[in-house]
């Protein structure tokens, strides 16, 4: 009789555990088990992007999901073809760092019902859809604000001659540039923009642009670059011309950028901690896959369109956990 009672209790216990998912692991929506995420990246030529992609893959693995990377090599047509391939393979979600943010609407249309997370390169708000097609990454205005605040703190000059190196045309470059200018101008100082042009995020074009600028003989107190690679190009041009380096500000805290800061050649960079950004990308993707709202994610906006990650000013000594 006692043995029968024990068997009955074991059966009931197993039944109850099965009904509650056995109480041993989190459910699929939390763990990401079996989820397949495609990651479309514009390039892997710079250290920041490589670090970010590595963080995304690590975050996916920790959640039990898989992240497959497709590198477009800065070719927007190739990226569109890769997206079509991803759709045919029936991925559960797709992360996209677009080569051209103007293609965002086309990409969303191609993805159809597959959730899209644009990361690190913000498209227009008009193309996003709450809790379906969203953006994860830094609030770009903060980069320009950090640069301007550093400049204002580290020079007492009431008249500043400023050169700006912009990235590829799009919201990221415009927001970083415009906020930098607005913050400087609100200080009440006299700001002279002696040079403003695009170097497409790249070191060599930036070096060439600054070489041409230096030939004009105009003074320069500050160089604000939309990323570190362009800041490095500017530094090269000044050193080649044997000119005293001005205050040089970048964005991204790349390996080379941090080295130049520690060497005293670059002044600061607005850093994007890649580990946190990678984790937010995967957390957001898994929420969207399960049809859940993203608004409870830290950094998410109430409209369900954005998950923002912070930027930090790096001046040489901090551990950014990149």
């Amino acid at each position: 009789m006692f043995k029968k009672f024990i068997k009955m209790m074991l059966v009931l216990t197993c039944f109850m555990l099965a009904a509650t998912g056995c109480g041993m692991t989190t459910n699929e929506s939390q763990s990401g088990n079996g989820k397949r995420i495609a990651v479309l990246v514009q390039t892997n030529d710079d250290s920041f992007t490589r670090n970010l992609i590595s963080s995304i893959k690590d975050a996916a693995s920790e959640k039990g999901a898989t992240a497959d990377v497709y590198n477009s090599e800065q070719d927007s047509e190739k990226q569109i073809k890769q997206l079509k391939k991803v759709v045919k393979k029936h991925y559960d979600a797709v992360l996209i760092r677009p080569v051209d943010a103007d293609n965002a609407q086309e990409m969303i249309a191609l993805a159809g019902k597959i959730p899209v997370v644009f990361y690190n390169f913000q498209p227009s708000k008009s193309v996003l859809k709450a809790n379906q097609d969203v953006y994860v990454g830094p609030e770009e205005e903060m980069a320009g604000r950090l640069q301007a605040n550093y400049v204002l703190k580290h020079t007492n000059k009431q008249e500043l001659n400023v050169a700006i190196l912009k990235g590829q045309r799009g919201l990221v470059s415009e927001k970083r540039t415009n906020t930098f200018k607005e913050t400087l101008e609100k200080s009440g100082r006299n700001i002279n923009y002696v040079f403003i042009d695009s170097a497409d995020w790249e070191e060599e074009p930036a070096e060439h642009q600054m070489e041409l600028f230096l030939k004009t003989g105009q003074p320069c107190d500050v160089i604000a670059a939309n990323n570190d690679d362009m800041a490095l190009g500017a530094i090269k041009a000044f050193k080649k011309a044997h000119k005293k380096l001005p205050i040089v500000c970048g964005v991204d805290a790349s390996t080379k950028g941090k080295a130049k800061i520690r060497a005293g050649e670059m002044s600061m960079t607005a850093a994007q901690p890649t580990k946190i950004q990678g984790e937010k990308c995967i957390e957001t993707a898994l929420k969207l896959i399960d049809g859940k709202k993203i608004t409870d994610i830290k950094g998410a906006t109430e409209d369900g369109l954005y998950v923002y990650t912070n930027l930090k000013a790096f001046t040489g000594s901090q551990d950014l956990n990149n």
Side-chain angles (χ1 to χ4, degrees), residues 7-254:
K7 287 181 179 179
M8 186 179 294
M9 290 300 294
L10 287 172
V11 170
L12 286 171
T13 300
C14 287
F15 177 80
M16 291 174 67
L17 288 173
T20 59
C22 295
M24 294 169 63
T25 60
T26 57
N27 60 38
E28 187 171 278
S29 66
Q30 292 173 316
S31 68
N33 286 339
K35 301 296 191 297
R36 297 167 61 245
I37 300 170
V39 184
L40 274 58
V41 61
Q42 87 285 11
T43 182
N44 66 353
D45 288 344
D46 63 272
S47 60
F48 171 78
T49 300
R50 289 193 295 270
N51 288 340
L52 179 54
I53 295 303
S54 178
S55 297
I56 288 172
K57 293 181 72 174
D58 288 346
S61 180
E62 288 172 7
K63 293 292 185 180
T66 58
D68 298 328
V69 179
Y70 296 79
N71 179 10
S72 70
E73 300 174 324
Q74 293 285 19
D75 185 333
S76 58
E77 289 186 11
K78 181 177 180 180
Q79 191 170 61
I80 293 294
K81 289 178 181 177
Q82 288 174 335
L83 178 56
K84 290 177 180 178
K85 183 178 180 180
V86 162
V87 172
K88 286 183 180 179
K89 287 188 173 184
H90 302 290
Y91 278 88
D92 296 296
V94 56
L95 306 182
I96 304 175
R97 198 296 189 181
V99 174
D100 185 351
D102 289 344
N103 291 338
Q105 193 162 18
E106 180 184 359
M107 289 176 166
I108 288 171
L110 288 171
K113 294 182 179 180
I114 299 174
V116 173
V117 177
F118 293 102
Y119 68 96
N120 203 250
F121 196 68
Q122 188 175 335
S124 171
K125 181 178 181 179
S126 63
V127 306
L128 300 178
K129 182 179 179 181
N131 303 302
Q132 171 65 29
D133 306 306
V134 305
Y135 168 75
V136 175
E139 192 170 6
E140 300 297 350
E141 291 89 345
M142 191 182 293
R145 195 173 301 116
L146 288 171
Q147 288 181 328
N149 286 337
Y150 179 92
V151 170
L152 294 170
K153 183 178 179 181
H154 287 84
T155 179
N156 292 322
K157 289 186 176 182
Q158 292 303 304
E159 183 171 355
L160 291 173
N161 299 297
V162 179
I164 299 176
L165 288 165
K166 299 171 65 174
Q168 186 182 34
R169 182 178 61 85
L171 279 179
V172 174
S173 179
E174 293 305 317
K175 286 189 174 186
R176 291 179 183 181
T177 300
N178 291 343
T179 306
F180 172 76
K181 293 170 67 177
E182 289 166 6
T183 306
L184 283 185
E185 290 160 11
K186 285 179 182 177
S187 70
R189 302 194 199 185
N190 186 19
I191 311 299
N192 303 317
Y193 297 108
V194 293
F195 179 90
I196 301 178
D197 208 341
S198 171
D200 292 330
W201 307 110
E202 296 180 9
E203 184 174 326
E204 190 173 332
E207 181 182 353
H208 178 65
Q209 296 270 30
M210 284 293 99
E211 285 174 346
L212 294 176
F213 165 73
L214 286 170
K215 288 178 181 179
T216 68
Q218 294 184 83
C220 182
D221 304 305
V222 177
I223 296 173
N226 283 170
N227 77 341
D228 286 351
D229 284 352
M230 293 188 293
L232 296 175
I235 290 168
K236 276 188 177 180
F238 270 75
K239 290 177 72 176
K240 276 185 181 179
H242 304 290
K243 298 289 186 181
K244 181 182 177 182
L245 286 168
I247 293 173
V248 181
C249 303
V251 180
D252 286 343
S254 67

